[in-house]
Amino acid sequence: MLTRQAHNVCPAQRDGGHAMQSDSNPSITMRHLIDGYQVSQAIHVAARLGIADLLADGGRSVDRLATGTGTHAPTLYRLLRALASIEVLREGNDGVFELTPLGQALRSDVEGSIADWAAFVGSPGYWQAWSGLLHSVRTGENAFQHIHGADVWSYRTNRPEESALFDRAMTALSRRSSAALIAAYDFGRFRTVVDVGGGTGALLAAILGAHPGLKGTLFDQPHVVAAAGAFMERAGVADRCRIVGGSFFEGVPEAADAYVLRAVIHDWEDVDAVRILTTVRKAMAADGRVLMLERIVAPPNEGRDAKFSDLNMLVAPGGRERTREELEALLGPAGLQAAGVIDAGGFAIVEALAR
Ligand SMILES: C[S@@+](CC[C@H](N)C(=O)[O-])C[C@H]1O[C@@H](n2cnc3c(N)ncnc32)[C@H](O)[C@@H]1O
């Protein structure tokens, strides 16, 4: 059973003191930024244990949560009270924990759930790769390759559990941006669309769901698309969706009207990005469109998401985020030309035609 000693300071008192200190003391604010890795790992563990789903219907005691997650109750308590100190959870005076509005985002069943991203971020291969950031900055080399002796894609091919965590994380991020992308761009003008490097198909399912006249092909590595059929069935679009496994360095399905590449080009340095676009250019219909969906690197001092995603690309797959001009510069060498750039929430849609 838990001791009561940790319940004698209410969250408001703790937070008030904490906030005042941080605001007036840069070294405390800096310390919290430095210790961000502890926050990441604590949230990751809560996500792996499914804590937020267990709290979906209301508060629970640590003992019940420990039983539900198969964990050591006194130690689970230490995790949960730390998460309550940063407002992910709320700890009641009766030793019961409940979700805060912030913590709700860790439920798997809510719109905009970020649970699968949290579950992936602390996974061994990815977490360890970030310890190679200093090596990357010193040498310009990819940290993942340096730490693991393999690139992310071959590493995951041999580790189905980590690969599935990554695919689910991509699906979670894709779902969060799909509505904005579909609202911003009229996919209904096409008859056929190929989602190149489309993961397990979240974006393509959303596009097909929004446009009943459209047919789609999901293209990704064979082990990634292996589970996509069931996903498309559940989304109710399986009868209009073909699933093809392969490598976009060798070829992609031919003669479609539109080729979508969401968060694919940023995984690669320019030489390989141009190779992928060249493969697509060779496959597409003469009047086809290529749609690169990417974050755009903002001017100085703005745009945290793209700039930290850029570090993530440096560390993990070995690519980069780009400015609009840098993305457009990839098109010419691949036999493409820019047709326009459309803002779609946190992403830009760079539309290209054959030259
Ligand atoms: C960052 S993920 C993006 C996934 C998806 N487009 C999304 O937005 O959720 C990049 C995708 O590229 C795929 N990929 C990597 N190398 C590939 C290759 N050689 N051929 C085909 N797909 C590949 C990965 O399997 C992964 O699904």
Side-chain angles (χ1 to χ4, degrees):
M1 285 299 291
L2 299 170
T3 61
R4 302 280 307 155
Q5 65 183 18
H7 302 299
N8 57 6
V9 180
C10 79
Q13 284 173 304
R14 285 200 307 266
D15 291 345
H18 171 106
M20 279 168 57
Q21 274 185 323
S22 321
D23 289 350
S24 61
N25 188 332
S27 84
I28 290 177
T29 303
M30 182 55 78
R31 165 97 191 271
H32 288 155
L33 289 174
I34 292 165
D35 291 346
Y37 75 97
Q38 298 173 359
V39 173
S40 291
Q41 192 63 240
I43 294 173
H44 163 73
V45 171
R48 290 297 297 271
L49 294 174
I51 296 289
D53 285 344
L54 289 172
L55 296 176
D57 297 329
R60 285 195 185 199
S61 68
V62 180
D63 287 336
R64 279 189 71 196
L65 289 169
T67 304
T69 54
T71 52
H72 183 244
T75 310
L76 180 64
Y77 173 68
R78 294 165 69 180
L79 175 77
L80 300 183
R81 73 179 174 184
L83 290 172
S85 78
I86 55 166
E87 299 181 13
V88 173
L89 301 176
R90 207 187 98 72
E91 179 182 359
N93 289 330
D94 49 2
V96 166
F97 284 87
E98 60 188 19
L99 288 175
T100 60
L102 180 63
Q104 295 280 348
L106 288 175
R107 283 173 56 179
S108 61
D109 60 344
V110 293
E111 182 83 21
S113 169
I114 197 74
D116 285 335
W117 177 250
F120 163 68
V121 159
S123 60
Y126 183 77
W127 188 257
Q128 289 156 14
W130 270 87
S131 71
L133 179 60
L134 178 61
H135 174 83
S136 282
V137 172
R138 282 196 168 130
T139 63
E141 292 170 9
N142 172 232
F144 198 100
Q145 180 78 44
H146 175 66
I147 297 291
H148 295 293
D151 66 72
V152 282
W153 310 114
S154 42
Y155 175 96
R156 286 185 191 129
T157 303
N158 300 322
R159 290 171 182 78
E161 193 188 338
E162 285 194 52
S163 183
L165 278 174
F166 173 75
D167 292 339
R168 285 202 294 272
M170 291 303 101
T171 299
L173 297 189
S174 206
R175 280 204 177 112
R176 289 161 66 86
S177 61
S178 293
L181 292 169
I182 289 165
Y185 192 85
D186 177 19
F187 288 92
R189 76 176 91 159
F190 304 123
R191 284 162 302 152
T192 51
V193 58
V194 180
D195 192 351
V196 178
T200 52
L203 176 61
L204 184 60
I207 294 172
L208 295 179
H211 299 288
L214 189 61
K215 290 189 173 155
T217 303
L218 177 68
F219 181 81
D220 205 297
Q221 301 181 90
H223 72 277
V224 175
V225 294
F231 185 88
M232 293 300 178
E233 287 285 349
R234 285 197 298 279
V237 296
D239 57 333
R240 289 185 285 126
C241 183
R242 212 158 57 95
I243 296 170
V244 179
S247 170
F248 45 46
F249 291 113
E250 289 161 19
V252 297
E254 293 193 345
D257 300 330
Y259 289 79
V260 173
L261 299 100
R262 181 199 173 277
V264 168
I265 294 302
H266 75 167
D267 287 339
W268 304 93
E269 286 290 3
D270 288 2
V271 171
D272 286 325
V274 168
R275 282 176 66 205
I276 296 165
L277 291 170
T278 303
T279 310
V280 172
R281 163 71 189 90
K282 283 181 185 155
M284 69 198 241
D287 58 351
R289 306 268 159 161
V290 180
L291 304 166
M292 283 191 285
L293 279 41
E294 295 288 351
R295 293 187 185 88
I296 299 277
V297 171
N301 309 310
E302 295 171 26
R304 168 196 171 131
D305 279 1
K307 288 173 184 170
F308 273 87
S309 179
D310 180 57
L311 286 185
N312 198 24
M313 295 305 112
L314 170 68
V315 164
R320 59 177 59 243
E321 300 292 354
R322 296 175 172 87
T323 62
R324 172 183 174 158
E325 292 72 24
E326 287 169 339
L327 278 169
E328 288 179 341
L330 300 172
L331 298 173
L336 295 161
Q337 60 182 336
V341 178
I342 298 156
D343 180 33
F347 274 71
I349 303 173
V350 179
E351 186 180 36
L353 306 162
R355 256 153 57 118

